[in-house]
Amino acid sequence: MPPTATHPTLREPVLAGVVTALAGFTSSFAVVLAGLRAAGATEQQAASGLLALTVIFGAGMILLSTVYRLPITLAWSTPGAALLAGAASYDGGWPAAVGAFIVTGALIVATGTIPALGRLIGRIPTALAQAMLAGVLLPLCLAPFQALGSIPLLVLPLILIWLAGTRFAPRWAVPLTLLGALLVIAGYLVINRITLDWAAAAPTVELTTPEFSVQAMASIALPLYIVTMASQNVPGVAVLASFGYRTPWRASMFVTGLGTAAAAPFGGHAMNLAALSAALSAGETAGHDRSRRWIAAVSAGCCYLVLASVSAALVTVVAAAPPGLIETVAGLALMGTMATALAAALAEVGQRMSAVVTFLVAASGLTLAGVGGAFWALIAGLLVRWVLERRSIDQPRP
């Protein structure tokens, strides 16, 4: 029987969900891997973290979408992973990072249950939050051009693929770049006669006993929480609202916060509402019947569970790549995010000085009292805002 108004086809929402998962996973996989490795994770711990995050937020998507009949999509915190990639060293190493991830999850849960905390996050100036994010992203976004000096023959093809993809197929630019990187790595392995340890490619989890330190809380937990809320959860709600859906805020924060805390001992850093990829499951690509688009989110969640099974194999391949190659893919993947963050940070003329200071401190690699630059960037930005810009902010607009 052909699809009718009474019997609509499932093809559109199911395919939209598959595209959502493929685009979300491939476009940010390299960023997450770079962040976990920079935070001190071994290759096995990074593979475990990818597996844990993908399984848990995939299951969370299925749960939320089924219960609320809404196209609620989740993701790992890509800006948060970029923050890890540029974080300063701190006492405790990887176990302390895991402890910070657990605290981040607890803060996300608290945001959904304590209205005052949600209002406090809402009072952080958008310009400063975006400037901090842009400063955190800068080191990774510089990686492709720095790598041109050391491995030009390997990096230049990836930059050209990304440029062509951005011009002709923007949605698939980063996945195509990742595919190009995998082909480059394969050629590199063949030419140098490097054999991979395929025994390590099987999906496994590695448990890390967390440690809790003040330095890790300030350097990782607090900035990771702010970046995840300001750059992922709040925009994620706005994207769904733009398509006429009201996000169940408390339930979403509970699922993502609890999921973050659950994934942390296995190496996962943070999960949140999806922002950019949310439009793929909530928009017209998921079908004309808005009441059935929740099926796209369920389909995406199921696809993520399948993708989780290949995460360890991807880590095994990437681990054999020459230094700088995976960072190149991560930097190219974050170009658009950084451009958006910079535009938002500098949008208001009267707030540009505080935004610039925030950006520069976050990008500087500053470490004071063992606490990294992301924390001090926000403090510096708020101070400059209070000293120099308070009058222009308080003045009513004509």
Side-chain angles (χ1 to χ4, degrees), residues 357-388:
V357 170
T358 302
F359 168 76
L360 292 174
V361 174
S364 68
L366 170 71
T367 300
L368 290 175
V371 178
F375 174 82
W376 296 117
L378 193 59
I379 298 299
L382 289 171
L383 177 62
V384 172
R385 180 183 172 91
W386 184 79
V387 173
L388 299 181

Side-chain angles (χ1 to χ4, degrees), residues 25 51 125 180 239 285 311:
F25 188 91
L51 176 64
V239 169
T285 56
S311 59

Side-chain angles (χ1 to χ4, degrees), residues 94-100 102 207-212 265:
W94 176 244
V98 170
I102 293 175
L207 186 65
T208 299
T209 301
E211 295 180 4
F212 300 92

Side-chain angles (χ1 to χ4, degrees), residues 5 8 10 14 40 53 95 103 115 119 140 170 185 219 268 291 331 354 366 368 387:
L10 294 178
V14 169
L53 282 171
V103 172
R119 290 193 295 269
L140 267 182
I185 293 171
S219 295
S291 66
S354 60
L366 170 71
L368 290 175
V387 173

Side-chain angles (χ1 to χ4, degrees), residues 113-143:
T113 55
I114 304 174
L117 184 56
R119 290 193 295 269
L120 181 62
I121 290 298
R123 294 186 64 183
I124 295 176
T126 300
L128 300 192
Q130 293 298 322
M132 182 183 73
L133 174 59
V136 164
L137 296 180
L138 181 61
L140 267 182
C141 289
L142 290 174

Side-chain angles (χ1 to χ4, degrees), residues 15-37:
L15 287 179
V18 172
V19 171
T20 299
L22 288 174
F25 188 91
T26 58
S27 64
S28 55
F29 156 78
V31 182
V32 175
L33 182 57
L36 294 179
R37 285 164 47 173

Side-chain angles (χ1 to χ4, degrees), residues 273-302:
L273 291 168
L276 295 178
S277 62
L280 298 175
S281 290
E284 291 292 327
T285 56
H288 296 292
D289 187 351
R290 295 180 63 259
S291 66
R292 294 168 63 83
R293 291 179 189 170
W294 64 274
I295 298 172
V298 173
S299 171
C302 294

